[in-house]
């Protein structure tokens, strides 16, 4: 028996020795670290529950909406919502946010793996004697990385998409360089669209996040530059473009017809074109300053410089494009995030950019000539990583900072009974869960009203429960799909998201968290009263005038085929339509009303 199995055991032992080398173990260590710590921190944020609300509406037969009867897009990441919905269909017995946490965890690990493989591929031509995970070690040491490995948001998908695109392009760049040495072989004549999937995957960027269109454009340039292309075949370019844009374009047509908008409602509500440089810089310093990011970025730049130097020496334009795409994309995206004022979640919007910057140096191939310098730089990053991972924490935990930035996981952990943040049972016992539960009970009992937290009024139709809140997540889950949950901050309100507020009237607010006047919600959801304030009367009348009336009709009522295509035509106009948040001013502008009439 032993003699029969001896050859097989010998081959298995040899295979294991090839896989579990010191280099492979070192490169895998940061990925394993994030896998363990990310799973230990598993949770879902309150904003993550918003996606689950839309999943439940689809399962209830109401379509991809937040409130039944109102076609408003609150899911910023279309592709992430698709993952969650697919998980709910495949595993109906598992709570969808639990499935989402697992998928986010897997996608984060996949993104780190792809980035490491891509960087290793680029260093292969330098014939390194070993690899060290400089970039991935820096990523793994950041505490926010552990938090956003799950969270119910699209961050893990962002890592996977960025890492996957980089890995594909790195593989093509090396193949392009090899093809240049064999210019007369048929393998050097492959067009940009072959194989098909790189262009397809790169085109998904806007569906990961609308602002990731920046990365898609730069990765597309890298794709074309890394293609062994016969320039005389002009049709290769249109074919590549069609493959990249097929899915985003198809979804854009659906968005225009279904939601009568060019962008998600969250972009309108948060005014993604606003300029708040000062707040954005505060957000950047809050993240980069706390973790002293200059240390890994400088060392990572040295690794990236090796690629650029090699590309310069060999005239490798493909390598320039592939390495430059994530770096330039990150720089442009950070500038955009800073311009709009950042976010209220500590580090969330800047983590993918940090990941992108460090991808070319995810692992660094060490040659004999640079061995000592590379090991010193690696030891320097390792020392920084130990210090940051063990001691760097936000000074704010159970409350937002004075600048309106919150450590989201710590905040919600402090506001739940058990501190656990994954299942419905973990969340529903808290105060927000109770608000939603009471609304659901009232609806089931046949009550009908509009409630903004301080005033309760009869509903406009005499049917249904309508509640106005500032947190759209767990409240909406507890309330159920039949209760209308309206956001005071306009994220789920397709009407007031178009309103232009005066900062002098609302004071300082967190980014994207300016409360709209309640008069608009009362006018839409509460019954008319003879003694109601003038501001509500102004809102009721303004809702019947101009493009505001057109907008209401476009996002409510039955969606027929004629209405769908009418919405497609109207969507550019309605997307850019705005009106004053003050009801009296809006009535003057929309209806031509003047005081004293």
């Amino acid at each position: 028996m032993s003699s029969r199995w001896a050859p097989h055991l010998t081959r298995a032992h040899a295979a294991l020795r090839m896989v579990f080398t010191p280099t492979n173990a070192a490169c895998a260590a940061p990925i394993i670290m994030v896998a363990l710590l990310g799973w230990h921190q598993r949770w879902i944020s309150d904003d993550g529950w918003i996606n689950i609300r839309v999943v439940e509406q689809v399962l209830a037969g109401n379509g991809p909406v937040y409130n039944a009867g109102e076609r408003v897009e609150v899911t910023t990441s279309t592709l992430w919502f698709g993952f969650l919905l697919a998980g709910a269909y495949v595993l109906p017995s598992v709570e969808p946010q639990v499935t989402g946490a697992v998928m986010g965890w897997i996608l984060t690990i996949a993104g780190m793996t792809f980035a490491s493989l891509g960087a290793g591929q680029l260093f292969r031509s330098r014939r390194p004697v070993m690899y060290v995970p400089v970039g991935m070690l820096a990523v793994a040491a950041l505490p926010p990385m552990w938090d956003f490995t799950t969270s119910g948001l699209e961050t893990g998908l962002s890592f996977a998409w960025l890492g996957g695109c980089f890995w594909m392009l790195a593989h093509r760049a090396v193949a392009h360089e090899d093809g240049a040495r064999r210019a007369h072989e048929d393998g050097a004549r492959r067009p940009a669209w072959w194989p098909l999937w790189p262009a397809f995957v790169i085109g998904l960027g806007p569906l990961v996040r609308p602002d990731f269109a920046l990365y898609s454009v730069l990765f597309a340039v890298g794709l074309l530059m890394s293609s062994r292309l016969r320039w005389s075949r002009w049709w290769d370019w249109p074919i590549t473009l069609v493959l990249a844009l097929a899915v985003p374009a198809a979804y854009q047509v659906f968005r225009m017809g279904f939601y009568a908008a060019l962008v998600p409602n969250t972009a309108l509500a948060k005014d993604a074109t606003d300029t708040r440089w000062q707040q954005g810089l505060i957000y950047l310093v809050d993240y980069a300053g706390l973790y002293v990011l200059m240390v890994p970025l400088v060392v990572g730049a040295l690794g990236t410089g090796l690629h650029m130097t090699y590309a310069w020496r060999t005239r490798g334009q493909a390598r320039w494009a592939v390495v430059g795409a994530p770096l330039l994309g990150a720089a442009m995206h950070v500038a955009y995030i800073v311009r709009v004022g950042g976010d209220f979640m500590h580090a969330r919007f800047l983590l993918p950019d940090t990941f992108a910057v460090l991808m070319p140096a995810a692992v660094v191939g060490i040659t004999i000539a640079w061995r000592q310098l590379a090991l010193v730089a690696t030891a320097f990053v390792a020392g920084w990583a130990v210090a940051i991972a063990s001691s760097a924490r936000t000074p704010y935990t159970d409350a937002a900072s004075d600048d309106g930035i919150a450590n989201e996981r710590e905040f919600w952990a402090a506001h739940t009974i058990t501190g656990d943040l994954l299942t419905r049972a973990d969340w529903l016992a808290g105060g927000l869960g109770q608000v939603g539960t009471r609304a659901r009970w009232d609806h089931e009992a046949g009550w009908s009203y509009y409630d903004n937290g301080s005033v309760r009024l009869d509903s406009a139709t005499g049917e249904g429960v309508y509640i106005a809140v500032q947190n759209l997540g767990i409240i909406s889950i507890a309330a159920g799909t039949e209760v209308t949950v309206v956001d005071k901050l306009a994220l789920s309100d397709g009407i007031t998201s178009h309103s232009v507020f005066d900062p002098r009237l609302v004071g300082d607010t967190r980014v994207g968290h300016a409360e709209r006047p309640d008069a608009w919600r009362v006018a839409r959801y509460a019954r008319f009263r003879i003694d109601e304030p003038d501001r509500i009367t102004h809102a009721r009348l303004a809702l019947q005038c101009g493009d505001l009336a057109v907008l209401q009709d476009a996002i409510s009522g039955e969606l027929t085929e004629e209405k769908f295509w009418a919405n497609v035509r109207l969507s550019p106009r309605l997307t850019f339509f705005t009106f004053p948040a003050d009801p009296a001013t809006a009535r003057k502008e929309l209806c031509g009303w003047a005081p004293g009439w």
Side-chain angles (χ1 to χ4, degrees):
M1 178 68 71
S2 59
S3 60
R4 184 196 308 175
W5 290 100
H8 300 289
L9 292 175
T10 300
R11 285 193 292 270
H13 181 259
L16 289 175
R17 289 187 61 183
M18 291 178 62
V19 172
F20 295 101
T21 63
T23 292
N24 289 350
C27 293
I31 302 175
I32 295 172
M33 175 181 172
V34 170
L36 295 176
L37 293 174
W39 188 249
H40 178 268
Q41 296 286 88
R42 61 192 181 277
W43 70 303
I44 180 172
S45 67
D46 189 67
D47 279 18
W49 285 110
I50 297 174
N51 295 316
I52 304 304
R53 162 83 167 188
V54 182
V55 169
E56 292 188 342
Q57 291 286 16
V58 173
L59 297 179
N62 298 322
V65 299
Y66 184 80
N67 288 312
E70 297 181 5
R71 292 183 294 276
V72 180
E73 186 179 15
V74 297
T75 50
T76 302
S77 175
T78 304
L79 194 58
W80 176 240
F81 168 70
F83 272 88
L84 293 173
L85 186 60
Y89 276 115
V90 173
L91 299 171
S93 61
V94 181
E95 292 185 9
Q97 80 282 354
V98 175
T99 306
V102 174
M103 288 191 292
W105 181 75
I106 292 173
L107 288 169
T108 299
I109 296 171
M112 296 180 70
T113 303
F114 288 146
S116 300
L117 292 174
Q121 188 80 0
L122 290 176
F123 275 106
R124 190 188 68 180
S125 55
R126 298 178 62 85
R127 302 185 183 280
V129 295
M130 65 180 298
Y131 293 91
V132 289
V134 175
M136 285 302 99
L137 178 61
V139 167
L142 296 171
M145 187 74 183
W146 317 334
D147 289 346
F148 288 103
T149 293
T150 54
S151 83
L153 301 171
E154 77 288 340
T155 315
L157 176 62
S158 300
F159 296 143
W161 181 78
L162 288 169
C165 290
F166 177 68
W167 170 60
M168 290 186 300
L169 294 181
H171 180 78
R172 291 173 67 92
V174 173
H176 181 278
E177 292 170 350
D178 293 342
R181 302 185 188 100
R182 305 188 306 270
H184 299 291
E185 296 182 14
D186 292 338
R189 300 294 187 183
R190 292 179 183 174
W193 50 266
W194 188 264
L196 303 179
W197 50 276
F200 173 79
V201 172
I202 288 171
L204 296 178
L207 300 183
V208 176
R209 282 193 60 86
D211 42 318
F212 272 25
L214 284 170
Y215 281 108
S216 280
V217 170
L218 294 169
F219 282 141
V221 173
L223 175 68
L224 295 173
M225 297 295 287
S226 63
S227 302
R228 292 168 286 180
L229 186 65
R230 284 185 290 186
W231 301 97
S232 58
R233 291 171 47 177
W234 60 268
W235 59 83
D236 287 328
W237 293 72
I239 291 175
T240 304
L241 189 63
V242 168
L243 287 171
L245 297 182
V247 175
Y251 181 77
Q252 185 64 18
V253 172
F254 170 79
R255 171 185 282 151
M256 295 165 67
F258 192 81
Y259 300 110
L262 299 177
V263 294
N265 195 63
T266 50
L268 300 175
K270 293 186 176 184
D271 197 358
T273 61
D274 199 6
T275 301
R276 301 183 65 176
W277 287 104
Q278 182 177 358
Q279 179 62 30
L281 289 172
I282 291 173
Y283 183 70
L284 177 62
V285 172
D286 175 78
Y287 167 59
L290 177 62
Y291 304 114
V292 199
L293 283 184
M294 285 303 297
V295 172
L297 292 181
V298 168
V299 176
L302 296 176
T304 302
L306 295 177
H307 296 305
M308 296 301 192
T309 302
Y310 185 81
W312 178 270
R313 199 169 64 245
T314 60
R315 298 182 179 179
Q317 60 181 12
R319 185 177 291 256
W320 270 99
V322 171
V323 174
L327 299 180
L328 183 58
M332 295 171 65
H333 193 258
V334 168
Y336 169 74
I337 295 300
V338 172
R339 178 182 179 274
V340 300
D343 187 44
F344 70 95
M345 293 190 196
H346 168 72
R348 177 196 170 191
F349 279 175
L350 297 176
L351 270 179
D353 299 323
T354 306
F355 183 82
V357 168
L358 292 171
M359 281 195 306
V363 298
V364 175
I366 300 177
T367 60
I368 295 178
W370 296 91
R371 186 172 184 175
Q372 291 183 341
L373 178 60
L375 291 177
V376 169
T378 303
F380 188 56
V381 173
W384 167 89
V386 171
I388 294 300
S390 61
S391 61
R393 300 293 184 272
T394 58
Y396 45 87
T397 54
D398 57 350
S401 70
D402 294 337
D403 299 309
I405 303 172
N407 184 328
E408 196 74 352
R409 191 187 188 285
E410 293 298 322
F411 174 85
W412 288 112
H415 288 78
T416 54
I417 304 301
T418 64
D420 295 326
L421 299 167
L422 186 59
T423 67
R424 292 170 190 255
D426 295 334
W427 281 83
L428 291 179
L432 294 182
Q434 294 173 15
V435 170
T437 300
R438 284 193 293 268
R440 176 170 56 83
W441 289 346
D442 290 345
H443 180 273
E444 293 171 350
W447 292 17
S448 178
Y449 57 79
Y450 165 78
D451 192 335
N452 66 2
S454 58
V455 176
R456 179 171 291 188
L457 305 170
D458 293 335
S459 68
T461 61
E463 298 179 354
V465 171
Y466 304 83
I467 57 175
V469 298
Q470 287 194 356
N471 297 92
L472 292 184
I474 195 60
I475 290 179
S476 67
I477 296 298
T481 57
E482 296 182 356
V483 173
T484 298
V485 181
V486 188
D487 186 17
K488 295 180 179 181
L489 313 178
L491 294 179
S492 71
D493 189 339
I495 300 299
T496 58
S497 61
H498 291 260
S499 64
V500 179
F501 62 90
D502 189 336
R504 295 172 298 179
L505 300 179
V506 299
D508 292 332
T509 62
R510 292 194 295 172
V511 174
H513 285 68
E515 183 173 329
R516 271 53 169 190
D518 190 52
W520 295 105
R521 295 183 290 275
V522 173
R524 294 182 66 201
Y525 300 116
R527 180 173 296 174
F528 171 76
R529 295 171 295 150
I530 296 178
D531 60 341
E532 67 185 13
D534 289 343
R535 64 181 181 277
I536 298 176
T537 302
H538 292 316
R540 290 187 189 279
L541 294 173
L543 286 167
Q544 302 174 30
C545 297
D547 279 349
L548 194 51
V550 175
L551 175 62
Q552 282 193 100
D553 179 69
I555 65 174
S556 60
E558 182 182 359
L559 184 65
T560 62
E561 183 178 351
E562 292 78 13
K563 192 171 189 176
F564 179 92
W565 292 112
N567 283 353
V568 170
R569 293 190 296 272
L570 286 169
S571 58
R573 181 174 120 201
L574 294 180
T575 298
F576 293 103
F577 163 67
T578 59
F579 62 93
D582 175 62
T585 307
R587 184 183 173 192
K588 294 175 188 177
E589 183 177 300
L590 296 169
C591 304
W593 169 79
W597 285 19

